[in-house]
Amino acid sequence: VLTHCHVDHIGAAHELRQSYHCRVVAHALDAEAIESGDPIRTAANWYRVRLPETTVDLKLEGDDTELVIGNQTIHCLHTPGHTPGSIVVWLDRDGQRILFGQDIHGPFDRSFGSNIADWRISMEKLIALQADILCEGHFGIYSPKERVTRYIRGYLDRY
């Protein structure tokens, strides 16, 4: 499950798909950039790398999609702002809500299709989830619930 179309979050998707025959999942609004390897929308040009075209097998649409894997339900919540197709993944496990929220902090750039107003709405959705644990791809793991909320609110205050 790709949380958005940036190279530092999708860079190995092509290889993993080929090696393990797994399905690639992303929001439809970021899928074109992933499938074309668009160097601007994926921010690959920031790192001077080239991405291969990668098929997105399941293109999520709408606000909330549930994926069931075995006996686990995984929620993919559309959280536009950083990119148009940004999502977070969350699940309930052992009495705790775990949130995988990537690039909550931004950055925001016109070339990504960033939209601060959309991002602010998305961050309020994340706070409403009342996650016990936040796994943020660049800045670590936050818990308990109050610390998760404080982390997200800190960025809302900044922007």
Side-chain angles (χ1 to χ4, degrees), residues 61-74:
E61 299 200 26
D63 286 336
D64 191 9
T65 303
E66 292 182 357
L67 304 175
V68 179
I69 301 172
N71 62 354
Q72 181 67 60
T73 299
I74 298 170

Side-chain angles (χ1 to χ4, degrees), residues 80-81 108 115-127 152-153 155-159:
F108 305 100
N115 182 310
I116 294 286
D118 288 347
W119 171 82
R120 294 184 68 74
I121 293 166
S122 294
M123 294 306 99
E124 292 296 343
K125 288 181 187 178
L126 296 189
I127 291 168
I152 298 168
R153 285 234 179 266
Y155 284 103
L156 279 167
D157 291 345
R158 182 179 294 182
Y159 296 108

Side-chain angles (χ1 to χ4, degrees), residues 81-101:
H82 178 52
T83 69
S86 290
I87 64 169
V88 297
V89 176
W90 65 273
L91 56 96
D92 291 326
R93 185 93 182 242
D94 297 330
Q96 293 194 306
R97 179 157 291 166
I98 305 166
L99 171 62
F100 297 88

Side-chain angles (χ1 to χ4, degrees), residues 41-143:
R41 293 263 326 272
T42 63
N45 63 328
W46 283 28
Y47 301 95
R48 295 187 180 110
V49 297
R50 193 157 180 234
L51 283 172
E53 296 176 359
T54 302
T55 300
V56 176
D57 301 292
L58 176 59
K59 296 174 185 168
L60 306 175
E61 299 200 26
D63 286 336
D64 191 9
T65 303
E66 292 182 357
L67 304 175
V68 179
I69 301 172
N71 62 354
Q72 181 67 60
T73 299
I74 298 170
H75 299 265
C76 300
L77 179 66
H78 185 214
T79 54
H82 178 52
T83 69
S86 290
I87 64 169
V88 297
V89 176
W90 65 273
L91 56 96
D92 291 326
R93 185 93 182 242
D94 297 330
Q96 293 194 306
R97 179 157 291 166
I98 305 166
L99 171 62
F100 297 88
Q102 308 304 300
D103 288 7
I104 286 171
H105 60 280
F108 305 100
D109 193 90
R110 184 177 304 172
S111 66
F112 303 159
S114 296
N115 182 310
I116 294 286
D118 288 347
W119 171 82
R120 294 184 68 74
I121 293 166
S122 294
M123 294 306 99
E124 292 296 343
K125 288 181 187 178
L126 296 189
I127 291 168
L129 286 173
Q130 297 189 4
D132 298 292
I133 301 169
L134 166 65
C135 302
E136 207 289 339
H138 293 279
F139 293 116
I141 298 172
Y142 298 85
S143 68

Side-chain angles (χ1 to χ4, degrees), residues 5-25:
C5 63
H6 288 162
V7 63
D8 55 327
H9 296 266
I10 69 167
H14 180 77
E15 185 175 327
L16 290 169
R17 188 175 183 280
Q18 283 188 324
S19 296
Y20 298 102
H21 309 287
C22 59
R23 297 176 69 200
V24 172
V25 178

